Amino acid sequence: MRWIRGRRAWFPYALTGGALALAVAGTLVWFSADRAQQRADNLRQLDRACAGLLPGEPLRGFVPADRAGVLEEYGTMLDPGQESRALLNCTLSWGSGRWEPTHRARVRAEAQIAAQVEDAEAAEAGFRHISDFPLPLPPGVTGSTEADDRVVGSEVSASLWVECPGGLRGRKAPSRTLQVAVELPSKAAGDHDVPAADHLLAARTAVATANWVTERQKCGGKPIRTDASPRPAAGPAPTKLCAWLDPEGLEFARDTWEFSGDGAYNRRAGFCSGRITGYGGLAGLPVVGVTAESWSGEFARGAYERHTDVGTAPGQRAPSPARRDGSVVIRTSAFSPKLALWAKSECDGGTAHHRIAVTPEFDTGSGDEEKKVVVEGTDRKRLSADARATLDRYLAAADGWPGRTNCRATTILGEVEEWPR
């Protein structure tokens, strides 16, 4: 009887514990189902937002299950259309960090009037090469990509400028230039760690957005291929626009070279480069790297101003003082010293600036170690001759950027010694 009474005494507690366990289990099931439903809602929002232009599958890893996404979108091309300066302006974000959302994706398309085109070109010029867009672009289209740090993590962006001969609707003033900007989150810890695949994803999203606008606006622009193979960043042979860059013909370092540069002609800017793939150690200060850049119109003004701001424009620095025997002393470190030669031409796109930079073989030390290198007078003169020979070959090439742009009346602006004193 005592055992029965004891069992009866504990029975209410057992019932209470069982009920509590069932309640907890039910709460967990409800919580799990609620999170699953929230993520499903967020994924549907991702697929539908921004006129369906966001790359849904690659962005699924950024979509949370614990809170709803925040969508802000407007523009004259949305259905229904809205009064706006933009054809499309859309931001989808998730999470709330201390200063900004945890992750966000943005798409913007705008018909730019003439004044905006000039301001944008001047702002963009010189900060990154037109050739860095990872997809081949047709004539009349300019593109670039870049990576940036965020408070937490990083993001990758892509920009496109597309010429629309038939004009764009959506602004009171006439416009024939479409600007597209895309920003996507990246899982890289910092901007220098953002992989090429993320740049390619942003580029393809920008191309898809540009095609979406031009198709609906019927502005005369041809669709850009989004399935094109990525442009190689470097290769053993220069592109057609850079075929003039022949290290053997210029009597540069006899070594294995790799090249990068424009795969398609662009009237606003051109870029070619090459350098040896070995570790150096060559005698006689031969040229082991060369870069050729050109900018026209507003791009030329912007590039020149940027170099002026950092002290690398012609006329800002006196040449290195020569010693009695004609030699000069150069301080070197991990930074590779360069000699840049600037010139100015009149081209079809307006006044253009050209910059040729040659890198000689120096012992640059390691890390922050700094060394003083004595360069004989004859070697210093030969470096100037190498820069001038490169410029002459660049200007004379029929398939190079100056030749395609019909550059003429070239004036030498001067040399810039890009090394510490």
Side-chain angles (χ1 to χ4, degrees):
M1 293 296 293
R2 184 178 300 172
W3 175 81
I4 295 175
R5 286 198 299 270
R7 186 178 62 176
R8 288 175 179 174
W10 282 100
F11 189 67
Y13 295 101
L15 287 176
T16 303
L20 181 61
L22 288 174
V24 170
T27 301
L28 291 175
V29 171
W30 173 84
F31 183 70
S32 177
D34 185 64
R35 286 174 62 89
Q37 182 61 48
Q38 182 62 73
R39 179 168 166 80
D41 291 344
N42 287 346
L43 291 176
R44 280 193 293 271
Q45 183 185 47
L46 171 62
D47 291 336
R48 297 171 182 172
C50 307
L53 293 168
L54 293 176
E57 190 63 31
L59 296 183
R60 292 173 69 92
F62 298 98
V63 177
D66 59 345
R67 65 186 65 196
V70 178
L71 177 63
E72 301 175 75
E73 60 179 352
Y74 52 90
T76 59
M77 289 188 66
L78 288 175
D79 186 17
Q82 301 176 19
E83 188 67 27
S84 170
R85 290 180 58 190
L87 303 174
L88 171 65
N89 193 336
C90 176
T91 301
L92 179 58
S93 59
W94 304 281
S96 55
R98 183 174 181 181
W99 304 107
E100 59 185 3
T102 307
H103 303 297
R104 68 184 175 195
R106 288 178 173 175
V107 175
R108 180 179 175 88
E110 183 176 352
Q112 292 197 314
I113 59 178
Q116 286 179 304
V117 173
E118 292 180 0
D119 290 343
E121 289 183 347
E124 291 294 328
F127 285 92
R128 49 189 184 271
H129 302 307
I130 300 305
S131 62
D132 70 359
F133 199 78
L135 292 172
L137 296 174
V141 181
T142 299
S144 64
T145 66
E146 65 176 338
D148 291 301
D149 285 326
R150 302 187 70 225
V151 174
V152 177
S154 59
E155 68 181 7
V156 62
S157 61
S159 299
L160 277 179
W161 290 265
V162 182
E163 294 181 1
C164 296
L168 290 158
R169 303 182 305 278
R171 295 293 296 270
K172 293 181 179 179
S175 173
R176 289 183 173 84
T177 301
L178 168 66
Q179 182 186 12
V180 171
V182 169
E183 297 173 13
L184 299 177
S186 173
K187 292 184 178 180
D191 58 347
H192 294 294
D193 302 317
V194 173
D198 288 359
H199 285 264
L200 184 59
L201 178 64
R204 285 183 167 148
T205 305
V207 167
T209 303
N211 289 342
W212 180 82
V213 172
T214 55
E215 179 183 353
R216 284 159 179 75
Q217 291 266 345
K218 295 182 171 36
C219 65
K222 295 182 179 180
I224 308 168
R225 291 180 55 194
T226 57
D227 60 345
S229 299
R231 179 187 303 164
T239 63
K240 183 178 180 181
L241 283 165
C242 302
W244 61 271
L245 183 49
D246 178 12
E248 184 177 353
L250 289 163
E251 299 183 358
F252 290 164
R254 294 183 179 276
D255 205 322
T256 303
W257 285 66
E258 67 176 6
F259 304 89
S260 62
D262 292 325
Y265 167 72
N266 186 287
R267 65 180 178 83
R268 293 186 175 100
F271 171 74
C272 297
S273 73
R275 68 173 299 106
I276 65 170
T277 59
Y279 292 99
L282 305 172
L285 297 181
V287 171
V288 295
V290 60
T291 298
E293 299 173 283
S294 292
W295 309 270
S296 68
E298 292 298 325
F299 270 62
R301 186 180 69 181
Y304 199 84
E305 288 178 353
R306 199 231 349 150
H307 279 275
T308 300
D309 290 342
V310 296
T312 55
Q316 290 188 286
R317 304 179 68 189
S320 297
R323 303 196 299 187
R324 287 186 178 181
D325 60 358
S327 63
V328 296
V329 177
I330 297 176
R331 291 190 296 133
T332 68
S333 63
F335 170 77
S336 297
K338 298 180 181 65
L339 178 69
L341 177 63
W342 284 76
K344 182 173 68 173
S345 302
E346 292 301 321
C347 308
D348 289 346
T351 300
H353 284 104
H354 314 289
R355 177 182 175 270
I356 300 292
V358 292
T359 303
E361 170 65 13
F362 281 111
D363 181 4
T364 57
S366 61
D368 295 329
E369 179 185 358
E370 187 175 272
K371 295 184 177 181
K372 289 185 178 180
V373 177
V374 177
V375 179
E376 299 298 331
T378 53
D379 291 334
R380 176 63 183 83
K381 290 179 181 178
R382 190 177 74 247
L383 191 59
S384 292
D386 287 337
R388 180 56 190 266
T390 305
L391 175 64
D392 291 342
R393 192 181 186 93
Y394 179 50
L395 295 173
D399 288 334
W401 189 89
R404 293 285 299 273
T405 319
N406 192 29
C407 291
R408 56 210 177 271
T410 299
T411 303
I412 302 298
L413 298 178
E415 291 182 348
V416 180
E417 296 177 343
E418 296 185 9
W419 54 66
R421 302 287 177 83

